[in-house]
């Protein structure tokens, strides 16, 4: 059934070059089953596999997943520990698979805050998958868009003080080049699961002209088919970028 959708979206038009996803609703998925929240996060790993496969199948080049925000550090320690443990588990389980499918993984965020084990796992998957050509997979962990923009501003100020750049040279390109996402085009499509109508400090700069797609589906229930439905909806949108439609 999802292959039928895949055929449709391939004939329909262009597939987004870059999809970003706020993977939300794990806690509610668990609560709905009277399970502890970490089991919802665990179930969410299957959906991560689904969307990676869906991107490979449909030819999306960049997939950026919001896995853990800087604000999420304020959750109870048991939940934070479970999420960090899951990150290590995910990496250990998936690294070979990702490399075999030519997926290159990058991890975006304040990695200094990760515990040594999680940090090691992150460095390991990045090194092991470097050079993958089929899909660039960005995992946003300990990520805050405002902190990312602050980092770019600070970098520019340091360069100006050192005389390597003059303020008049600071333009949108100069800022974009100093964000974590510098190597990739801005997302064309932002998907948020679980029905929440907010950005939650995700890619504030890069989403300037992304198409927004919010689905009530909770993240652990999200499948390749849901991804294809979102892409089909994207193909029906009229992207004007502030101009008059031609
Ligand atoms: C998303 O699910 C995963 C993370 C934010 C780490 P939540 O844990 O936010 O699930 P809800 O929103 O409470 O249902
Ligand atoms: C956003 O979800 C962060 C991630 C999906 C990793 P949250 O559940 O943390 O966001 P809010 O609290 O609903 O805004
Ligand atoms: Mg949430």
């Amino acid at each position: 059934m999802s292959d039928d959708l895949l055929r449709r979206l391939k004939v329909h038009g262009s597939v987004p070059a870059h999809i970003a996803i706020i993977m939300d609703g794990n806690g509610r998925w668990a609560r709905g089953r009277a399970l502890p929240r970490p089991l919802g996060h665990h179930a969410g790993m299957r959906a991560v596999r689904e969307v990676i496969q869906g991107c490979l199948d449909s030819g999306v080049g960049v997939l950026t997943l919001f896995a853990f925000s800087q604000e999420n550090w304020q959750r109870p320690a048991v939940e934070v520990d479970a999420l960090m443990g899951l990150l290590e588990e995910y990496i250990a389980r998936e690294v070979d698979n990702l490399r075999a499918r030519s997926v290159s993984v990058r991890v975006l965020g304040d990695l200094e805050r990760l515990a040594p084990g999680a940090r090691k796992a992150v460095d390991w998957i990045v090194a092991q998958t470097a050079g993958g050509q089929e899909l660039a997979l960005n995992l946003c962990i300990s990520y805050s868009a405002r902190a990312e923009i602050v980092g770019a501003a600070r970098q520019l100020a340091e360069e100006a003080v050192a005389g390597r750049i003059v303020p008049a040279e600071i333009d949108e390109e100069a800022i974009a080049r100093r964000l974590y996402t510098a190597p990739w085009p801005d997302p064309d499509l932002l998907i948020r699961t679980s029905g929440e109508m907010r950005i939650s400090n995700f890619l504030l700069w890069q989403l300037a002209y992304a198409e927004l797609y919010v689905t009530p589906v909770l993240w652990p229930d999200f499948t390749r088919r849901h991804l294809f439905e979102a892409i089909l909806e994207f193909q029906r949108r009229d992207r004007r970028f502030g101009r008059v439609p031609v």
Side-chain angles (χ1 to χ4, degrees):
M1 219 160 52
S2 59
D3 287 328
D4 184 46
L5 284 187
L6 178 60
R7 269 190 296 278
R8 260 173 56 199
L9 69 88
K10 281 190 170 169
V11 291
H12 249 247
S14 62
V15 167
H18 183 174
I19 296 181
I21 307 182
I22 302 176
M23 310 186 290
D24 199 15
N26 297 349
R28 277 162 282 173
W29 185 93
R31 197 176 56 212
R33 287 161 178 76
L35 296 169
R37 291 176 59 89
L39 287 188
H41 299 311
H42 194 270
M45 283 205 291
R46 189 201 48 78
V48 172
R49 267 179 234 120
E50 290 266 332
V51 292
I52 291 170
Q53 193 55 49
C55 286
L56 288 165
D57 294 341
S58 57
V60 172
V62 187
L63 174 64
T64 300
L65 299 178
F66 201 6
F68 189 84
S69 70
Q70 282 201 20
E71 291 78 12
N72 290 152
W73 287 114
Q74 296 162 53
R75 292 188 179 195
V78 278
E79 181 162 350
V80 171
D81 290 349
L83 281 160
M84 291 298 139
L86 208 60
L87 173 66
E88 291 185 50
E89 184 186 330
Y90 174 81
I91 289 172
R93 271 169 54 168
E94 298 295 324
V95 69
D96 290 341
N97 203 0
L98 292 168
R99 194 175 43 198
R101 286 185 290 170
S102 196
V103 177
S104 62
V105 179
R106 301 281 285 270
V107 182
L108 319 184
D110 181 6
L111 303 184
E112 301 293 315
R113 292 183 74 173
L114 296 184
R119 182 62 203 263
K120 237 176 100 185
V122 158
D123 291 343
W124 161 252
I125 196 166
V126 171
Q128 287 296 307
T129 61
Q133 295 291 318
E134 289 301 312
L135 175 69
L137 172 64
N138 298 321
L139 301 177
C140 295
I141 292 166
S142 189
Y143 174 86
S144 148
R146 286 186 168 179
E148 180 184 31
I149 295 167
V150 167
R154 190 172 293 154
Q155 217 178 307
L156 284 164
E158 282 164 1
E159 290 173 39
V161 167
R164 291 198 301 275
I165 191 168
V166 294
E169 286 171 341
I170 298 174
D171 56 8
E172 292 186 8
E173 257 309 298
I175 293 175
R177 273 204 308 275
R178 288 162 182 81
L179 300 176
Y180 297 125
T181 49
W184 305 287
D186 287 342
D188 303 291
L189 172 63
L190 171 74
I191 299 172
R192 182 164 187 155
T193 56
S194 87
E196 304 294 356
M197 300 281 186
R198 55 179 172 265
I199 301 288
S200 300
N201 203 8
F202 187 43
L203 302 176
L204 294 179
W205 176 277
Q206 299 88 333
L207 292 172
Y209 265 104
E211 293 297 323
L212 309 183
Y213 181 88
V214 175
T215 168
V217 174
L218 302 175
W219 178 249
D221 293 326
F222 197 83
T223 62
R224 208 171 70 111
R225 181 180 174 82
H226 292 116
L227 178 77
F228 295 160
E229 281 169 359
I231 296 175
L232 277 167
E233 163 68 21
F234 168 83
Q235 290 177 333
R236 287 191 285 269
R237 300 277 178 90
D238 181 16
R239 299 186 83 189
R240 290 190 288 274
F241 300 97
R243 294 188 280 262
V244 171
V246 283

